Amino acid sequence: MNDRMTAGHVPQILVIDDVPEDIRSLLALLRAQPWRLSLATDARQGYQRALALRPDLILLDVRMPQMDGFTLGRLLRESPATARVPIIYLTSAGALEERLEGLSLGGVDYVLKSCAPEEVLARIQIHLQLSWREPAVASPARTEEAADDEQLMLRAAMRLISQSLEDLPSLADIARKVGTHDKRLSAIFRKHLGTTVFAYVRDARIRRAQELLADSAMSMQDIAELVGFRSACNFTTAFRERQGMTPSQFRQQVRDPSAPDSQ
């Protein structure tokens, strides 16, 4: 069992919701528990509190102004200080695509606000127990903890791009999903990677294509679609420009380095 529990650790719960009146009954129930409770009423305030408090669990609303819960979830996952904190999305955003997005971002649970407070409490208790059973992890080095907002946005954008190559959002949408705007995100990529977002996407598509060519028997058309090209022809042209050989030649070289075409 994790040292936190054996040492008499008192769980810290962070609730982030811009309309706490909607969960008044749940907050009353949480305050009655032997826990420490902190409430943030907007995503940016919640972000700063999460980094400072390192809570044991976060209850996170989705539909909030300026920065929504999904954007905040992405940033929290990229910070070494909060990457392992369980997040339960507690929201009225009940569409299937919203539930799937929350879970795909690493949420341990997704609960609608129509859920009874007692059930939410039970879910919190379950996830606290599960997190306590995980092996204790050494605290990140101080220099690693100090990742600034730009670095977190960069990491979140890179992860989002790698997971969305097949149907990549626009630059403006990528920026919004990581808590910024397109001009600033472009500047962050140039500053930290020395490249543009477009060039990074192009390279990410070619890297993923190389993996699929080496590790699968998928057709060129299937690989092209999976990495975001409109056709196998466009894919072949881009791959040749970048790698100096066609995708078929690359696959042959990887599988049989002694073949004549791979010399």
Side-chain angles (χ1 to χ4, degrees):
M1 188 173 294
N2 193 296
D3 289 343
R4 292 178 299 174
M5 197 167 184
T6 58
H9 174 78
V10 178
Q12 170 90 53
I13 310 298
L14 174 60
V15 178
I16 306 172
D17 194 311
D18 65 317
V19 189
E21 294 80 10
D22 289 349
I23 53 172
R24 186 184 302 110
S25 297
L26 174 61
L27 291 173
L29 195 58
L30 293 176
R31 290 188 177 104
Q33 307 306 309
W35 303 335
R36 291 175 293 167
L37 182 67
S38 181
L39 175 64
T41 55
D42 67 67
R44 294 197 179 278
Q45 181 188 45
Y47 172 65
Q48 296 300 331
R49 290 196 180 190
L51 295 180
L53 298 175
R54 299 189 188 182
D56 295 272
L57 185 140
I58 296 173
L59 283 179
L60 179 57
D61 191 14
V62 171
R63 294 174 180 166
M64 294 183 285
Q66 298 181 340
M67 180 191 291
D68 66 22
F70 293 149
T71 298
L72 177 55
R74 288 187 184 91
L75 297 178
L76 293 176
R77 184 169 62 171
E78 299 305 329
S79 170
T82 55
R84 295 175 61 86
V85 177
I87 295 176
I88 297 178
Y89 287 97
L90 178 64
T91 177
S92 59
L96 175 60
E97 58 269 22
E98 291 172 313
R99 301 198 306 270
L100 292 176
E101 182 168 6
L103 294 172
S104 72
L105 291 174
V108 297
D109 211 338
Y110 197 100
V111 184
L112 297 183
K113 285 185 175 179
S114 57
C115 187
E118 293 79 7
E119 182 177 342
V120 180
L121 177 63
R123 290 172 183 262
I124 292 172
Q125 292 170 329
I126 288 169
H127 289 295
L128 285 175
Q129 291 169 358
L130 290 173
S131 66
W132 279 334
R133 290 171 185 162
E134 293 178 357
V137 177
S139 298
R142 200 69 196 168
T143 55
E144 192 178 1
E145 290 174 9
D148 61 24
D149 287 350
E150 286 190 353
Q151 291 172 322
L152 297 185
M153 289 176 184
L154 177 64
R155 293 176 194 170
M158 292 168 63
R159 187 190 296 270
L160 178 60
I161 289 168
S162 70
Q163 294 174 341
S164 310
L165 290 174
E166 183 177 1
D167 186 20
L168 195 68
S170 67
L171 175 58
D173 282 342
I174 294 172
R176 178 181 57 81
K177 288 175 180 288
V178 300
T180 188
H181 52 80
D182 52 355
K183 290 184 179 180
R184 186 182 180 202
L185 185 62
S186 296
I188 288 172
F189 268 73
R190 288 194 297 269
K191 175 182 176 181
H192 293 276
L193 299 181
T195 188
T196 64
V197 179
F198 174 81
Y200 179 85
V201 168
R202 180 195 61 200
D203 291 346
R205 283 177 165 152
I206 297 302
R207 286 194 301 270
R208 180 60 178 144
Q210 288 177 304
E211 294 172 359
L212 293 171
L213 288 165
D215 300 334
S216 79
M218 294 174 63
S219 70
M220 296 302 157
Q221 182 63 41
D222 284 347
I223 292 175
E225 292 176 358
L226 279 177
V227 300
F229 288 94
R230 294 180 179 178
S231 68
C233 182
N234 290 342
F235 167 51
T236 298
T237 299
F239 194 95
R240 185 191 292 115
E241 289 176 353
R242 188 65 177 164
Q243 299 302 122
M245 65 180 74
T246 67
S248 297
Q249 290 170 332
F250 176 84
R251 174 175 271 171
Q252 184 178 19
Q253 182 185 70
V254 169
R255 296 185 176 184
D256 185 8
S258 63
D261 286 347
S262 66
Q263 299 299 319

